[in-house]
Amino acid sequence: MIKIVVVSTLAGFPDGMRSVLQGDFGESWLSVVAAGAGLSHGPHATTDLLKADIQLTLREEVEGVFNPSVLVQVKTTNALRDDGEEWAYDLDVSTYNVLQNSKERLRRILVVIGVAEDGETTRSLTEGTLLVGQSAWVSLEGAEATKNKETCVVRLPKANTLDEAGLRKMLKTFGVPQSTVRGFEELWQNADYAWAFPGEGLAQ
């Protein structure tokens, strides 16, 4: 029996168009995996002004928080480098500066998907359709500032897989807010706040 494998690639497109299509492929990859894992997923906003392509939500309670969510910036590249237990990637500094911010309400995650130099993206097999490439994720929250002007190297642990287990790990670790809003009673007891209501403690 001859086994026929049908391969899809982006090799025939001009570089500029190929870059756009690679980006679309990477975001679609993450959405497909999230859908297969039963996670809520979708575009964060109508415009990508905040370096956040996709919002992921785990419809569960984690550490007292319902529906933990993260914002994900997806990068797709044919220059992902194997560095033992990690992948190395040259991230643009403008994105790095946003992702290392530790003051975001919804915490940020970087996902990098590496595709082959020839642009191979999928293979149609007897068993089904295979997404072709390597992928991993990392949080850059709180990372040191860089003095680089254009790109800086980031490292993504291979253990941070882009499958159901990896996405659940991502959301359970980073989907819970870093802090919660203080309650009314705590604010009332805080000496820095002077509360006054008509008829109570006001000079007559």
Side-chain angles (χ1 to χ4, degrees):
M1 176 182 291
I2 299 176
K3 187 172 184 178
I4 299 176
V5 179
V6 179
V7 176
S8 297
T9 77
L10 299 174
F13 293 92
D15 288 345
M17 178 64 72
R18 174 176 166 176
S19 177
V20 172
L21 294 174
Q22 278 188 176
D24 180 56
F25 173 70
E27 293 176 30
S28 298
W29 176 314
L30 176 58
S31 294
V32 165
V33 175
L39 304 178
S40 294
H41 59 94
H44 167 58
T46 55
T47 55
D48 183 15
L49 300 178
L50 302 175
K51 302 293 185 182
D53 296 311
I54 295 175
Q55 180 170 331
L56 298 179
T57 300
L58 177 63
R59 298 186 307 277
E60 296 179 6
E61 180 181 354
V62 177
E63 297 181 13
V65 174
F66 289 98
N67 304 315
S69 300
V70 296
L71 297 179
V72 181
Q73 175 72 10
V74 183
K75 296 290 186 179
T76 309
T77 179
N78 53 23
L80 191 62
R81 303 185 298 280
D82 193 336
D83 193 19
E85 295 184 356
E86 300 173 320
W87 296 107
Y89 172 65
D90 295 329
L91 179 65
D92 61 280
V93 169
S94 62
T95 299
Y96 180 86
N97 289 339
V98 172
L99 297 185
Q100 56 109 224
N101 185 359
S102 59
K103 297 181 180 179
E104 296 287 350
R105 183 180 67 84
L106 283 179
R107 301 169 78 176
R108 305 299 186 84
I109 299 294
L110 172 67
V111 163
V112 178
I113 295 174
V115 296
E117 181 67 31
D118 63 4
E120 183 178 353
T121 54
T122 62
R123 297 176 191 168
S124 297
L125 309 175
T126 304
E127 299 85 352
T129 301
L130 174 69
L131 297 174
V132 180
Q134 306 292 343
S135 59
W137 59 268
V138 69
S139 168
L140 299 177
E141 184 180 283
E144 294 183 2
T146 179
K147 295 181 180 179
N148 294 3
K149 301 300 183 183
E150 296 184 2
T151 64
C152 59
V153 178
V154 296
R155 302 185 184 281
L156 302 97
K158 292 182 179 179
N160 289 351
T161 52
L162 213 65
D163 55 10
E164 179 175 357
L167 292 183
R168 291 180 67 87
K169 172 185 174 183
M170 175 198 297
L171 285 157
K172 287 186 174 183
T173 304
F174 296 99
V176 178
Q178 300 176 78
S179 61
T180 56
V181 177
R182 290 179 297 173
F184 178 80
E185 182 177 354
E186 182 181 352
L187 291 175
W188 176 268
Q189 295 173 348
N190 190 329
D192 293 336
Y193 290 84
W195 296 87
F197 295 91
E200 297 182 14
L202 297 179
Q204 301 296 320

